Amino acid sequence: MSGSGGTREKSENANAMWGGRFEGGASDIMAAINVSIGFDKRMAAQDIHGSKAHVAMLAAQGIVSAADAAEIARGLDLVLGEIEAGTFVFKDVLEDIHMNVESRLAELIGAPAGRLHTGRSRNDQVATDFRLWLRDEIDVVLAALKDLQFALIERADAASDYIMPGFTHLQNAQPVTFGHHLMAYVEMLERDRGRFRDCRARLNESPLGAAALAGTPYPIDRTMTAAALGFDRPMNNSLDAVSARDFALEFLAAASINAMHLSRLADEIVLWMSAQFRFIKLSDAFTTGSSIMPQKRNPDAAELVRAKIGRVAGSFTSLLTMMKGLPLAYSKDMQEDKEPVFLAVDALMLAIAAMAGMARDMQPNRQAMLAAAKLGFTTATDVADWLVREHGKAFREAHHIAGALVGVAEKRGCGLEDLSLAEMQSVAPEIDERVYAVLKVEASAAARTSFGGTAPARVAAAVKAAKARLLAEEA
């Protein structure tokens, strides 16, 4: 760089794609801030796919000759081959993926390349590329989330009757099953997948043919290009087509919610691995050691998944802030739309893969979970329910009696199941020996057979239904 006001030589700077209006060279700073090829080259395949659909339509409409269209399509295939082979030379002076492709096309086939851009603008071209790219990525995210669901379902099936404490306020509340706990995340992920599917459906309209902002005087067929690119329809309004980025915001919103769900599960894995919980173990594959404390096994994979929401939610905030003040139609600000989405996709895909790996790797400690479930008087509600069922008590009265029994047990430093019948009857004379059956944490969990409950039989049914639902999608 020659300095803040320095300019490049005109011969180096003049951009053959748009430079006819400009005589002077841009400053080095302008060139640096303007270039996007460093990140938008990720859309190369989509850019070429869109160009091939566009030129095929131009030929079908008689706007370019069949011979030129065939030569352009052949050249685009050559360019894609170079990119896939890693031999393509991306040039900053050409700014973006669109100009890099078109410039190389001109080198390969000559004059016919100049006809490719007829009837379109970089504005509708980039909007089309971005939608195509994000649509492809959503399909990958959906598949990865389904794999994570299967991993959790498999683990839940194997631990459908493992008793653990369920928590509220991170305090022991009632006994639940480990399988039931994991299946809660399967349901969260299913809603996440629904949000991504909804986003995909809404973004699946074609901007191509909107041109710069107002449409084009050429007799193009936007329905033809939309169909060729797998879109449901062309977008209705040319201004909207080039300026809308709500599809990317919707994706980032869905991704942020999904990353939040992953973070919650990751946080529980961190807790479960601690010496205070010991609910699960992870192998060397998903843990690290300490440089100073040889006994340590750190759940670093879970901790990093927990951190990824910062990148994903930050990307949403970044794009939302960038878009909020832009008048129609296109502004150069919108070049900043892709990097946050690319960053979020990369972070999310890594987090999903790591979580699926940990779900398959974790080894539940059934004995530690059971022991923890017996702490904190987790069957107190079962006592209240028993008094309602067996003695016709109003629940509020039964709740009061159960609370008094907890108070007696606390003073003795024992569990409810350790109280003598005489001690219980000192609080409520109608209590009899049958109460001891409901004080077992296994019985407490098994009794909760309401739809969506934690009973092992209900967990088994939920596992079966979830498997069937996911497998039906693949049929």
Side-chain angles (χ1 to χ4, degrees):
M1 183 177 292
S2 59
S4 61
T7 60
R8 296 179 177 182
E9 293 296 325
K10 181 180 176 182
S11 60
E12 293 179 349
N13 184 75
N15 192 311
M17 301 298 163
W18 57 264
R21 162 69 175 80
F22 293 80
E23 295 181 358
S27 73
D28 289 342
I29 291 175
M30 178 61 200
I33 199 172
N34 196 48
V35 67
S36 63
I37 188 60
F39 55 86
D40 68 19
K41 62 186 177 184
R42 292 176 67 151
M43 302 190 302
Q46 289 79 16
D47 189 73
I48 290 171
H49 186 34
S51 290
K52 290 182 70 175
H54 181 67
V55 76
M57 179 275 295
L58 293 178
Q61 294 297 104
I63 299 170
V64 302
S65 70
D68 281 348
E71 186 65 1
I72 290 170
R74 183 187 70 84
L76 288 169
D77 285 337
L78 292 175
V79 174
L80 181 60
E82 290 180 354
I83 292 172
E84 291 176 342
T87 60
F88 188 93
V89 179
F90 294 100
K91 300 176 181 178
D92 285 356
V93 71
L94 294 171
E95 296 182 12
D96 56 31
I97 186 59
H98 324 296
M99 288 186 173
N100 269 267
V101 168
E102 191 173 336
S103 176
R104 180 57 178 153
L105 180 67
E107 293 173 355
L108 290 171
I109 69 170
R115 302 188 184 279
L116 171 60
H117 210 51
T118 306
R120 75 175 183 185
S121 161
R122 275 194 297 176
N123 294 355
D124 62 331
Q125 188 179 359
V126 67
T128 301
D129 291 359
F130 199 9
R131 286 175 185 260
L132 289 172
W133 183 89
L134 189 53
R135 189 180 69 186
D136 291 343
E137 292 303 311
I138 289 174
D139 290 342
V140 176
V141 169
L142 287 170
L145 286 175
K146 181 186 288 189
D147 179 64
L148 173 54
Q149 285 178 296
F150 273 124
L152 291 171
I153 289 168
E154 291 162 7
R155 185 61 64 202
D157 194 16
S160 63
D161 61 348
Y162 287 21
I163 306 300
M164 66 175 286
F167 300 97
T168 61
H169 309 279
L170 203 55
Q171 304 294 309
N172 280 22
Q174 291 180 307
V176 298
T177 57
F178 188 55
H180 189 60
H181 197 115
L182 294 180
M183 288 301 294
Y185 285 99
V186 173
E187 294 300 318
M188 294 180 207
L189 296 173
E190 187 62 22
R191 293 192 295 276
D192 290 336
R193 292 176 68 238
R195 278 181 279 270
F196 285 121
R197 285 193 295 264
D198 289 346
C199 175
R200 190 191 191 285
R202 267 185 288 276
L203 74 77
N204 204 36
E205 296 181 338
S206 175
L208 192 57
L213 74 163
T216 176
Y218 296 98
I220 62 172
D221 184 346
R222 293 188 63 208
T223 300
M224 178 182 174
T225 51
L229 295 172
F231 289 114
D232 294 330
R233 64 190 68 83
M235 295 183 72
N236 291 329
N237 184 286
S238 61
L239 285 168
D240 179 44
V242 299
S243 62
R245 293 298 184 270
D246 52 353
F247 67 92
L249 285 166
E250 185 174 5
F251 170 81
L252 291 174
S256 296
I257 295 171
N258 178 220
M260 177 270 294
H261 286 152
L262 298 177
S263 179
R264 293 184 73 180
L265 179 54
D267 188 62
E268 297 207 280
I269 289 174
V270 172
L271 289 172
W272 293 343
M273 278 195 65
S274 68
Q276 291 75 20
F277 278 77
R278 298 184 297 111
F279 285 3
I280 66 167
K281 289 183 179 179
L282 289 175
S283 75
D284 295 351
F286 292 96
T287 57
T288 65
S290 166
S291 63
I292 189 172
M293 295 169 284
Q295 83 281 9
K296 294 292 295 295
R297 181 184 291 275
N298 299 321
D300 283 5
E303 292 171 3
L304 289 167
V305 168
R306 188 173 58 183
K308 292 299 182 186
I309 187 174
R311 295 191 182 209
V312 180
S315 292
F316 175 69
T317 301
S318 174
L319 183 56
L320 188 68
T321 303
M322 185 271 286
M323 290 296 300
K324 74 173 183 63
L326 298 186
L328 299 182
Y330 181 85
S331 298
K332 194 67 172 182
D333 312 49
M334 294 168 70
Q335 182 169 289
E336 297 291 307
D337 60 354
K338 288 169 284 297
E339 279 189 292
V341 178
F342 295 163
L343 178 67
V345 167
D346 290 346
L348 188 65
M349 286 301 301
L350 186 56
I352 295 170
M355 191 58 71
M358 285 185 284
R360 292 191 169 98
D361 185 70
M362 70 170 65
Q363 294 299 317
N365 183 340
R366 187 172 191 172
Q367 292 71 34
M369 290 182 185
L370 180 61
K374 294 178 179 179
L375 301 174
F377 313 106
T378 57
T379 57
T381 304
D382 295 273
V383 174
D385 290 336
W386 180 82
L387 287 166
V388 171
R389 288 195 312 271
E390 301 299 328
H391 294 281
K393 299 285 187 182
F395 181 77
R396 283 301 165 202
E397 181 184 1
H399 182 283
H400 181 78
I401 292 170
L405 291 172
V406 168
V408 173
E410 281 184 323
K411 289 177 181 177
R412 274 201 53 198
C414 67
L416 286 173
E417 68 278 10
D418 300 316
L419 292 176
S420 69
L421 184 58
E423 287 173 312
M424 292 190 185
Q425 290 176 338
S426 69
V427 174
E430 61 271 36
I431 294 177
D432 58 64
E433 67 278 356
R434 293 176 299 163
V435 76
Y436 288 100
V438 302
L439 294 178
K440 295 180 181 296
V441 293
E442 297 89 344
S444 174
R448 280 159 171 74
T449 56
S450 58
F451 182 79
T454 192
R458 278 296 186 187
V459 176
V463 163
K464 183 178 179 180
K467 281 184 179 179
R469 183 175 65 233
L470 294 176
L471 290 172
E473 294 180 8
E474 301 172 0

